[in-house]
Amino acid sequence: MPRDSLLLGLIGQGLTLSRTPALHEAEGLANGRATVYRRLDTLTDPLRGKSLAEILDAARITGFNGLNITHPYKQEVLPLLDGVSDQAAQLGSVNTVVISPEGRLTGYNTDTSGFARGLEEGLGGVPMATAVQVGAGGVGNAVAYALATHGVEHLYVADLEPARAQALAESINEIVGRKAVEGIGLDGIEETIAGASGVVNATPMGTLHHPGTAFDTSCLTPDHWVADVVYMPVETQLLADARARGCRTLDGTRMAVYQAVDAFELFTGIAPSPERMRQTFLSLGLASAQ
Ligand code: NAD
C-alpha cells in the first residue's frame, strides 16, 4: 500500500449507519491521502460467518493500514494481535489496530484516550476529587479507566446490574493499583451525586430509544460538572437539565471525535485537526448510534 493512500476498515456488526468511515475518509483527504474506509460487517455478506481471525488475515495480506474494532469484537481481538499497548492490554479491550507495512498487527484503545482528551478540553480545571459514574458496560469500562487515571481520586460506579459495577471496580482497581473505584447500588444514588464533584452518564439513557435520565437530576447544583457519553442527541435530557441548573457540561461528541482523532494519528503518524474532525462528525448528522 503506497504511503500516499490509506486503506482502513471497521470490523463489527450492524455498521450500516456508522459515521466512522466518512470521518476518516474526509480527514485522510484533508491530509493529502486518498482514503478508502470499508465497513467489515460480519452480519452482512460476504463476511457473514467469517471468523475474526480470517478477516484480520485478509486485511493484513491485502495491505490495509489499520482497522477499528467495535461490538462484539473488542475483547475477542486481543489474542489475535502481534502486540497490544499496555493500556489496551490492561483494559482487555482494543478498538484500534495498526497494521505495519510488514503485516504486524498492534492493538490500542482510543475510547479511553478519547474520553480523557474530551474531558481535559471540555471540562479542564473542574474539581475532580469525587465523581459518580452511572453505567458499567463497554463504554463505562473505558470511561472509568480514564477518570481514575485523570484526576478522579474516588469514583463511585452504579449500574442496573450491580455485579457489573462491582466487576468494573475490581478490574480498574487492579489496573491502577489503588482502591480508586467503588461499585455501589442505584438506591440513594442522588445523595451520592449530591456529595460528589461531578457525574458521568455511561448508560444508553438519553438516546432516542431510551429517553430520560438514569437518575433524578434535581440533585444537581451549579457546583457539579456533568458529562454524557451519549451523543445522539447531542443535547440529552441530562445535559439540558444540568445546564438549566448551572452545571458545566461535556457532551458525548467529544469522546466520539477524539477516539477517531487518536485512531487516525495511530494509523497515519499524522496529527489530524480535531476541530475539522469534529465539524465533519457533526456535519454527518446524528441519526445513528455508532
Ligand atoms: P452497554 O450495553 O455495554 O452498557 C450499558 C450499561 O448501562 C449496562 O451495564 C446497563 O446495565 C447500564 N444501564 C442501562 N440503563 C441504566 C440505568 N437506567 N441505570 C443504571 N445503569 C443502566 O453499552 P455501551 O457500549 O457501554 O454504550 C453505552 C452508551 O454509550 C450507548 O448507548 C451510546 O449512546 C454511547 N456511546 C458513546 C460513544 C462515544 O464515543 N461517545 C461510543 C459508543 C457508545
Side-chain angles (χ1 to χ4, degrees):
M1 167 67 42
R3 279 311 187 184
D4 58 357
S5 67
L6 286 170
L7 181 55
L8 305 170
L10 172 64
I11 304 179
Q13 295 186 341
L15 308 177
T16 319
L17 296 175
S18 174
R19 62 179 62 78
T20 303
L23 189 54
H24 282 276
E25 286 180 351
E27 192 59 23
L29 204 55
N31 283 280
R33 307 286 193 279
T35 304
V36 173
Y37 191 117
R38 298 275 187 223
R39 288 178 178 79
L40 305 171
D41 191 328
T42 59
L43 291 180
T44 311
D45 289 333
L47 292 178
R48 195 193 305 271
K50 298 281 186 238
S51 72
L52 179 58
E54 284 177 290
I55 300 169
L56 289 173
D57 214 35
R60 187 201 307 258
I61 63 181
T62 52
F64 273 66
N65 303 97
L67 298 162
N68 284 124
I69 310 292
T70 190
H71 181 77
Y73 298 118
K74 287 185 183 183
Q75 285 81 35
E76 189 182 330
V77 74
L78 266 88
L80 303 172
L81 302 174
D82 301 306
V84 180
S85 74
D86 288 348
Q87 194 180 59
Q90 286 174 330
L91 269 170
S93 174
V94 160
N95 78 322
T96 299
V97 174
V98 175
I99 308 179
S100 75
E102 300 74 37
R104 188 180 154 79
L105 308 184
T106 307
Y108 300 87
N109 188 305
T110 69
D111 290 328
T112 195
S113 63
F115 181 79
R117 286 185 72 176
L119 190 70
E120 281 162 12
E121 187 180 82
L123 289 175
V126 296
M128 298 286 272
T130 309
V132 179
Q133 176 182 314
V134 191
V139 170
N141 198 32
V143 167
Y145 180 93
L147 290 169
T149 52
H150 287 79
V152 174
E153 287 157 28
H154 198 85
L155 178 67
Y156 295 99
V157 176
D159 194 283
L160 275 181
E161 294 187 33
R164 278 197 186 182
Q166 296 295 348
L168 183 149
E170 278 166 32
S171 104
I172 301 290
N173 289 341
E174 200 175 313
I175 296 171
V176 300
R178 66 186 177 93
K179 201 169 178 306
V181 186
E182 183 177 342
I184 58 167
L186 281 167
D187 280 351
I189 186 82
E190 287 81 8
E191 284 103 283
T192 310
I193 291 170
S197 310
V199 59
V200 181
N201 175 50
T203 79
M205 292 301 293
T207 59
L208 300 180
H209 293 301
H210 301 276
T213 58
F215 58 90
D216 180 349
T217 55
S218 64
C219 64
L220 297 173
T221 70
D223 291 335
H224 285 105
W225 53 266
V226 177
D228 208 329
V229 302
V230 172
Y231 57 79
M232 192 211 54
V234 178
E235 177 86 339
T236 58
Q237 183 67 54
L238 172 62
L239 294 186
D241 290 359
R243 261 193 276 278
R245 291 180 172 275
C247 308
R248 282 186 65 182
T249 60
L250 177 73
D251 70 49
T253 64
R254 301 240 189 199
M255 177 184 185
V257 171
Y258 270 116
Q259 67 77 22
V261 167
D262 287 354
F264 186 90
E265 184 158 1
L266 287 166
F267 292 147
T268 62
I270 299 167
S273 160
E275 187 47 35
R276 184 170 52 216
M277 289 187 81
R278 182 174 166 77
Q279 288 310 322
T280 305
F281 182 84
L282 294 173
S283 76
L284 294 169
L286 293 166
S288 70
Q290 270 287 334

